[in-house]
Amino acid sequence: MRYVMVIDTLKCVGCSDCVVACQTENDVPFGYCRDWVTETVTGTYPHVEMELRSERCNHCENPPCVRTCPTGASHVAEGGIVVVTGNECIGCGACIESCPYDARYQHPEEGYVDKCTFCIHRVEKGLKPACVSVCPTRCMYFGDIHDPNSEVAKLLAERKYKVLAPEAGTKPRIYYLI
Amino acid sequence: MKTTRRQFIKISSLGIGGAAIAGSGFSMIDFFNLKSKKRTYDLSELNRYPTYCDVCFWKCAGWAYTNKAGKIIKLEGNKKDTHCRGRFCPRGTGGLGMYYDKDRLKTPLIRVEKDGKQSFREASWEEALELVASKMKGIRDKYGQESFALIKHGTPGKHFEHLFNAYGSDTIAEPAYAQCRGPRAEGFKLTFGTTVGSPEATDIRDAKCIVLIGSHIGENMHNSQVQELSDAIDRGISIITVDPRLSTVANKSKYWLPIRPSTDIALLLSWIHVLIYEGLYDKPYVDKYCSGFEELKEHVRHFTPEWAYNITDIKPKKIRDSAREMAKASPAVIVHPGRHVVWYGDDTQRTRAIAILNALLGSWGRRGGFYFKEKKKIPNYPHPGYPEPKWTWKDLNKKYPFAHSGITTEVIRASIPGVDGEHKVKAWMVAGTNLTQSIPDKNLTLKAIENLEFLVVVDLMPMEITGYADVILPECSYLERYDPIRSSTFRTPSIALRSPAAKPKYKSKPAWWMAKQLGKKLGLNEYFNYDDYAEVLDWQLKQIGTSLEEMKKIGVKNFERESGALYLKDNENYRFKTPSGKIELYSKKLKDAGFDPMPIYVAHAKPDEKYYRLIYGRAPMHTFSKTINNPYLNDLKDENFIWINPRIAKIWNIKRNQKIWIKNQDGIISKFPVKVRLTERIRWDSVYMVHGFGHDNKNLSRAYGKGASDSDMITNIKTDPLMGGTGLRENFITFLLDNPHKNVEL
């Protein structure tokens, strides 16, 4: 089993509902976020194009944050999810520095490093991550890429996609349909 | 404003803000405890209360979840609800912030004057309501109750509308009409005999092509439309977007027409020309259902794409190709009527052109076009008939023969001596609308306020309008109250319940309670024959086969249609609700009233050198000025930017993120600076801003001084002669690179 997320940039409108849903689901303090939306614009008026992306931890296959963590708080859990055990984290920030996606932050009150968990507490109960289940455009898909019948596997088989910063060699597992 | 009688009062400068917090039993510490305590909860273990969202007018139904301590921790859409299909938009998800916002109004306040200095002091509900009631009586005795006007928006407005009607005043208006969707209502009514409703009866679910004219679905989060359009993208819908800006949806379009602003009617006429002269229109539909086709054909004879090119900057080939694209999808095609359509003062005529285009494509009453909408009728809770007012909002609208709702700007004009003849309005209640931000030409509004004998404001937040009030009544948030049953037009009729998930914070109260108390004080008890609004709801729900008890469990109830099919049947004989019974391509009604029976293009003013047309719009996480202070939504977007094309910025030597001030054609300068966003997404002759920012009330601690107010820049109003809509897009701005203000505290 390998959990991944597939996000359709052709449908995303950048509304940031994923961000608020994550904040209320996971107690993310104001001023911080586990997911965010980026916009890139190319061309000159009127020959312009843009891309909107909901971004978060890429739950990499080769995660630098796990390698750099001195205590083992950052680790790979079942389904390939990269997670942080809060009470093992010493807040050294090495993982934050090593992440090419800038996906981690230090919790201002608790001190540990926090990031997207793919809402594993929901997934365990058969629910989708909060961002996926709230998205009004249904542009986000979550599932097991090893299951050829899963929505994510089918989409990746049929559609053109990309990952972010492939040159970093992290083997990211968030796929963007383009 | 030169302060005279009515100084603007900043509530917190009086020290009462702190007192109110102490008295409320609420503190920021509670709030942060809630935020920081790690929780992994199971929604099924939580209590849930049905509500429908109050962050915008789409009114999506959902659930407010509370934990064991009774705290509201999460909002989610109701899966049975057609407006949201279980998915709130960011504002609905973040609606929680309206409840938790520490800047909320906390207690009734009364304006007092001491040693020439005006301030607010805390008051009890009894005292504040007694004062409002005595003023209502005073206005009634002195001028007649009609002189007390109600300006309202949203659900609180409904409760006060009932109060005002019982009191004998129908001098009622809401900015949602003449400052927003009024022209569309009248343009479609003149053509099809009916309006498009809200949510609009656009059958995006089954459309093959959609045409958006300045309408930016996805930036406006009109929930079910966003969802249906997204599904349609999966199905391969072709989108045609007309916008001087590469909007989010323009970027998803097969055809983006980057039009020169203010020339939309020329484009529409040339599309009509192509459809008719290339024989692409739905001939059987037009023959059967439309009148005035020959007149229309003659009318558009010369409006070729080549003619339109000179006006719109859109190449003739693109005009032809996009028209053919629509025809290819016909009748499963929607030329979207838009929603905020008060642009250039000829807006009813522009929406008429949109309606005519839809008629030629045969989309009205067809699958994938416009469906026949239906809503559930909710019987009124029994009360005596309303007294007949001597005059109403209709008398203020006399200049505008096609206005079918109160025009807020006319109420404002009638509140100023010597502006338009009679000075009939002497006092206002303003409920749920921040008038100084939602109405253009702020100075006129302030002048009216200056002349009022009394102003009472009902709001959740210390919006700017509260600073001008004599009495402020703090309303509780939608998560703390009952409200009227939601019954909107849609494919299937449905109802939704709003019920309290928590007790009102501070001393705030629901609007229904305020209206009832005022009614009692005015001797109108028989109009408020209940102790709790729950009784009204239960009675109404029982009339339609359900109950409050059932609705508390399900939140939403969908009903079978009773009005017939969603679409026209093949060759069905159908009578439209127009005078001729046909879709009126040529409007005799308009002709008889002295207006153009078919839309014509009239050139509008262009910006002078070094000035740029101000275009404004929405961001998906905000609803006008209402949400800027909401902690969740403010976290997503806490300021607006002014979008400037990089080529223009180069001329000015303006850099990215530079803070500049803006000045309009009438010399009005923004109070606060706004950051520059250099982007190729905007035309050279225009600038763009998201509406609702630039709050200047310090009590809105997160919103104060963040970004600039587009509303302040809108002082040139192009009034629609048909229905009084206030065209807002003929305002031009220039840039000031140095701070023009002295001593503006930021």
Side-chain angles (χ1 to χ4, degrees):
Chain A
M1 188 171 59
R2 187 24 158 132
Y3 289 124
V4 305
M5 207 176 266
V6 175
I7 300 172
D8 191 345
T9 63
L10 302 186
K11 292 205 287 181
C12 176
V13 295
C15 74
S16 307
D17 204 358
C18 44
V19 182
V20 203
C22 174
Q23 282 180 317
T24 59
E25 178 71 30
N26 296 302
D27 274 343
V28 180
F30 289 125
Y32 298 85
C33 56
R34 291 178 173 192
D35 56 350
W36 61 94
V37 174
T38 59
E39 173 192 325
T40 50
V41 180
T42 48
T44 49
Y45 192 95
H47 308 288
V48 201
E49 275 186 30
M50 66 164 171
E51 186 177 281
L52 292 163
R53 287 189 308 269
S54 170
E55 295 185 2
R56 59 189 50 58
C57 168
N58 277 273
H59 296 276
C60 304
E61 201 63 42
N62 180 22
C65 52
V66 171
R67 277 202 314 280
T68 52
C69 178
T71 68
S74 276
H75 64 283
V76 180
E78 205 194 333
I81 301 180
V82 176
V83 288
V84 183
T85 307
N87 56 15
E88 289 175 15
C89 173
I90 55 169
C92 71
C95 57
I96 297 176
E97 290 300 316
S98 72
C99 175
Y101 307 103
D102 202 11
R104 296 173 160 237
Y105 70 94
Q106 188 164 5
H107 196 290
E109 287 142 45
E110 313 286 343
Y112 56 72
V113 169
D114 194 30
K115 61 176 277 296
C116 166
T117 60
F118 271 164
C119 281
I120 191 65
H121 64 285
R122 288 173 62 93
V123 174
E124 281 165 355
K125 288 173 187 136
L127 299 167
K128 300 275 186 206
C131 54
V132 176
S133 52
V134 81
C135 177
T137 67
R138 291 174 167 78
C139 76
M140 303 165 80
Y141 305 86
F142 175 81
D144 177 8
I145 199 174
H146 291 165
D147 172 4
N149 291 319
S150 67
E151 222 172 11
V152 287
K154 283 183 186 162
L155 282 165
L156 293 179
E158 288 164 13
R159 296 266 306 263
K160 204 174 151 192
Y161 63 85
K162 69 172 185 188
V163 295
L164 299 180
E167 67 281 2
T170 57
K171 298 185 182 166
R173 291 296 176 255
I174 307 277
Y175 300 88
Y176 292 96
L177 302 178
I178 50 175
Chain B
M1 185 178 82
K2 182 129 173 60
T3 52
T4 49
R5 196 184 75 78
R6 196 179 308 274
Q7 292 168 0
F8 179 87
I9 305 174
K10 293 164 183 159
I11 299 169
S12 68
S13 63
L14 319 160
I16 61 112
I21 287 171
S24 71
F26 175 82
S27 73
M28 278 309 286
I29 293 163
D30 286 342
F31 189 30
F32 281 115
N33 277 343
L34 169 80
K35 285 288 296 171
S36 67
K37 209 166 77 192
K38 195 82 182 147
R39 65 181 145 82
T40 49
Y41 51 79
D42 185 340
L43 286 185
S44 62
E45 288 167 9
L46 305 175
N47 284 321
R48 64 177 196 181
Y49 299 87
T51 188
Y52 58 89
C53 186
D54 193 43
V55 190
C56 93
F57 40 74
W58 216 255
K59 302 191 182 104
C60 298
W63 302 101
Y65 288 91
T66 60
N67 66 12
K68 288 200 178 92
K71 287 197 162 160
I72 309 174
I73 55 169
K74 195 169 170 76
L75 305 177
E76 274 193 3
N78 185 320
K79 291 191 170 66
K80 294 266 166 63
D81 183 34
T82 49
H83 295 223
C84 76
R85 298 194 284 164
R87 292 169 185 240
F88 274 156
C89 84
R91 299 162 302 157
T93 308
L96 209 52
M98 281 171 74
Y99 170 70
Y100 281 115
D101 196 330
K102 66 174 173 56
D103 294 337
R104 277 173 59 170
L105 292 166
K106 297 176 180 74
T107 173
L109 297 170
I110 293 177
R111 175 180 294 264
V112 287
E113 183 161 343
K114 198 180 169 193
D115 304 329
K117 175 106 179 98
Q118 297 182 2
S119 62
F120 285 121
R121 69 167 172 81
E122 280 189 49
S124 68
W125 273 103
E126 174 57 27
E127 187 189 10
L129 291 171
E130 190 57 44
L131 179 55
V132 176
S134 74
K135 292 290 178 181
M136 288 179 81
K137 285 180 199 159
I139 296 287
R140 179 171 64 194
D141 297 344
K142 206 162 151 195
Y143 307 104
Q145 63 273 18
E146 298 85 352
S147 290
F148 209 126
L150 168 65
I151 304 175
K152 53 145 187 138
H153 184 85
T155 41
K158 297 232 159 101
H159 300 290
F160 294 115
E161 195 169 9
H162 175 60
L163 172 72
F164 270 66
N165 285 160
Y167 162 68
S169 171
D170 197 19
T171 311
I172 299 177
E174 57 183 321
Y177 182 72
Q179 282 68 50
C180 195
R181 55 191 163 81
R184 157 192 109 172
E186 307 311 338
F188 271 66
K189 216 184 288 170
L190 283 162
T191 315
F192 295 108
T194 178
T195 62
V196 292
S198 175
E200 292 88 23
T202 48
D203 202 19
I204 301 174
R205 184 182 70 184
D206 289 316
K208 292 180 190 149
C209 175
I210 186 166
V211 185
L212 300 166
I213 299 163
S215 178
H216 50 0
I217 293 182
E219 282 159 290
N220 74 44
M221 286 304 288
H222 299 167
N223 199 331
S224 45
Q225 290 192 355
V226 173
Q227 296 199 26
E228 288 188 27
L229 187 60
S230 193
D231 292 349
I233 289 171
D234 271 343
R235 284 196 341 265
I237 191 172
S238 78
I239 306 172
I240 299 168
T241 303
V242 180
D243 203 311
R245 181 178 67 98
L246 183 87
S247 60
T248 300
V249 72
N251 186 59
K252 300 183 188 306
S253 301
K254 181 166 182 185
Y255 294 97
W256 169 40
L257 282 60
I259 195 165
R260 183 187 298 171
S262 82
T263 65
D264 309 85
I265 294 181
L267 173 69
L268 287 159
L269 290 171
S270 69
W271 270 341
I272 293 170
H273 172 96
V274 175
L275 291 183
I276 293 179
Y277 286 91
E278 291 192 12
L280 298 172
Y281 66 98
D282 186 338
K283 192 162 187 305
Y285 181 93
V286 169
D287 287 348
K288 186 158 180 75
Y289 299 117
C290 298
S291 69
F293 178 76
E294 288 307 322
E295 288 92 336
L296 179 69
K297 186 175 178 180
E298 194 47 39
H299 177 66
V300 299
R301 178 180 292 275
H302 301 293
F303 300 142
T304 60
E306 285 71 20
W307 165 82
Y309 174 43
N310 279 324
I311 299 165
T312 61
D313 290 354
I314 309 296
K315 294 210 166 108
K317 183 175 183 309
K318 207 166 190 180
I319 296 176
R320 286 205 171 82
D321 287 350
S322 50
R324 290 167 191 158
E325 185 79 15
M326 294 173 214
K328 201 168 75 187
S330 160
V333 50
I334 299 159
V335 187
H336 198 285
R339 190 165 179 118
H340 176 80
V341 291
V342 286
W343 298 351
Y344 308 110
D346 51 8
D347 307 302
T348 305
Q349 291 287 10
R350 187 184 65 253
T351 43
R352 269 269 297 156
I354 291 172
I356 290 168
L357 194 60
N358 277 302
L360 294 176
L361 292 161
S363 67
W364 190 266
R366 306 290 279 280
R367 182 181 294 276
F370 292 81
Y371 58 79
F372 292 127
K373 62 191 190 288
E374 186 178 323
K375 73 187 234 181
K376 189 75 188 168
K377 282 200 179 68
I378 312 286
N380 283 328
Y381 189 74
H383 64 74
Y386 294 131
E388 192 67 35
K390 287 191 196 70
W391 58 274
T392 71
W393 57 267
K394 288 178 189 155
D395 295 85
L396 301 179
N397 284 9
K398 275 186 179 146
K399 278 187 286 180
Y400 306 106
F402 295 96
H404 289 95
S405 189
I407 300 171
T408 308
T409 32
E410 292 306 304
V411 174
I412 290 170
R413 297 177 81 84
S415 309
I416 305 171
V419 165
D420 274 339
E422 276 184 286
H423 170 212
K424 296 177 101 164
V425 177
K426 309 289 183 182
W428 298 349
M429 172 183 275
V430 176
T433 173
N434 190 17
L435 228 46
T436 53
Q437 294 282 97
S438 57
I439 300 295
D441 195 357
K442 191 159 153 184
N443 283 335
L444 195 74
T445 307
L446 296 182
K447 199 167 167 197
I449 289 173
E450 190 76 11
N451 281 288
L452 292 177
E453 293 190 12
F454 187 67
L455 171 59
V456 51
V457 175
V458 182
D459 214 310
L460 170 74
M461 297 296 297
M463 304 309 272
E464 280 75 7
I465 185 68
T466 59
Y468 301 98
D470 294 302
V471 175
I472 301 173
L473 303 177
E475 195 194 12
C476 60
S477 78
Y478 68 107
L479 298 170
E480 304 159 288
R481 67 185 194 228
Y482 283 114
D483 256 329
I485 297 159
R486 183 203 81 186
S487 174
S488 322
T489 58
F490 217 90
R491 292 185 184 91
T492 50
S494 75
I495 57 167
L497 175 70
R498 178 181 288 161
S499 64
K503 286 204 175 73
K505 274 190 187 294
Y506 318 111
K507 289 179 186 164
S508 66
K509 291 282 188 187
W512 69 260
W513 182 87
M514 296 180 217
K516 179 180 157 62
Q517 299 305 314
L518 286 170
K520 197 165 134 193
K521 291 183 185 300
L522 291 165
L524 302 169
N525 263 334
E526 51 197 339
Y527 290 89
F528 298 91
N529 196 15
Y530 45 83
D531 292 324
D532 192 317
Y533 202 69
E535 296 165 42
V536 176
L537 295 172
D538 194 42
W539 184 89
Q540 289 180 309
L541 290 166
K542 281 180 176 148
Q543 309 306 304
I544 53 171
T546 174
S547 66
L548 186 59
E549 199 189 344
E550 186 192 28
M551 286 303 289
K552 278 184 170 176
K553 286 181 199 137
I554 57 177
V556 166
K557 197 172 175 79
N558 293 303
F559 295 85
E560 296 291 318
R561 278 175 71 89
E562 289 171 5
S563 64
L566 262 183
Y567 313 111
L568 289 166
K569 290 178 202 70
D570 281 347
N571 215 25
E572 178 182 341
N573 287 320
Y574 185 87
R575 201 184 150 77
F576 288 84
K577 292 188 188 89
T578 54
S580 64
K582 301 271 189 187
I583 300 168
E584 299 195 341
L585 306 177
Y586 177 99
S587 174
K588 189 169 176 299
K589 222 170 161 178
L590 282 176
K591 176 78 178 165
D592 290 348
F595 297 103
D596 295 315
M598 289 172 290
I600 57 161
Y601 167 71
V602 178
H604 293 286
K606 288 176 192 159
D608 290 337
E609 201 188 336
K610 296 231 163 181
Y611 277 79
Y612 309 90
R613 188 182 300 270
L614 174 63
I615 305 174
Y616 52 84
R618 307 280 303 277
M621 62 291 282
H622 283 297
T623 305
F624 321 136
S625 67
K626 179 173 175 170
T627 54
I628 311 296
N629 206 66
N630 176 317
Y632 287 98
L633 305 179
N634 184 273
D635 214 19
L636 294 176
K637 184 173 177 62
D638 66 348
E639 64 186 325
N640 61 352
F641 285 70
I642 185 157
W643 295 28
I644 303 176
N645 185 286
R647 265 172 270 190
I648 298 303
K650 204 171 174 188
I651 296 169
W652 284 82
N653 196 21
I654 290 175
K655 305 278 181 267
R656 175 174 165 258
N657 285 337
Q658 185 174 339
K659 283 187 169 181
I660 63 168
W661 286 257
I662 51 178
K663 182 174 91 169
N664 80 354
Q665 72 286 333
D666 296 326
I668 303 288
I669 298 172
S670 66
K671 186 162 183 182
F672 303 110
V674 58
K675 278 188 200 156
V676 171
R677 175 180 179 186
L678 296 186
T679 178
E680 293 288 352
R681 290 175 61 191
I682 186 78
R683 268 178 75 101
W684 318 284
D685 53 6
S686 305
V687 291
Y688 175 79
M689 287 162 72
V690 171
H691 169 69
F693 288 86
H695 279 281
D696 63 2
N697 192 348
K698 283 189 176 169
N699 301 297
L700 299 166
S701 61
R702 289 173 214 89
Y704 174 78
K706 291 293 186 70
S709 163
D710 57 310
S711 305
D712 284 0
M713 293 293 111
I714 297 173
T715 51
N716 180 33
I717 315 302
K718 306 306 279 185
T719 306
D720 192 320
L722 276 73
M723 48 61 70
T726 52
L728 307 177
R729 297 211 170 159
E730 220 160 288
N731 287 272
F732 307 109
I733 64 147
T734 191
F735 312 133
L736 304 175
L737 307 192
D738 298 313
N739 188 352
H741 304 295
K742 287 193 179 99
N743 308 323
V744 169
E745 210 183 313
L746 286 176

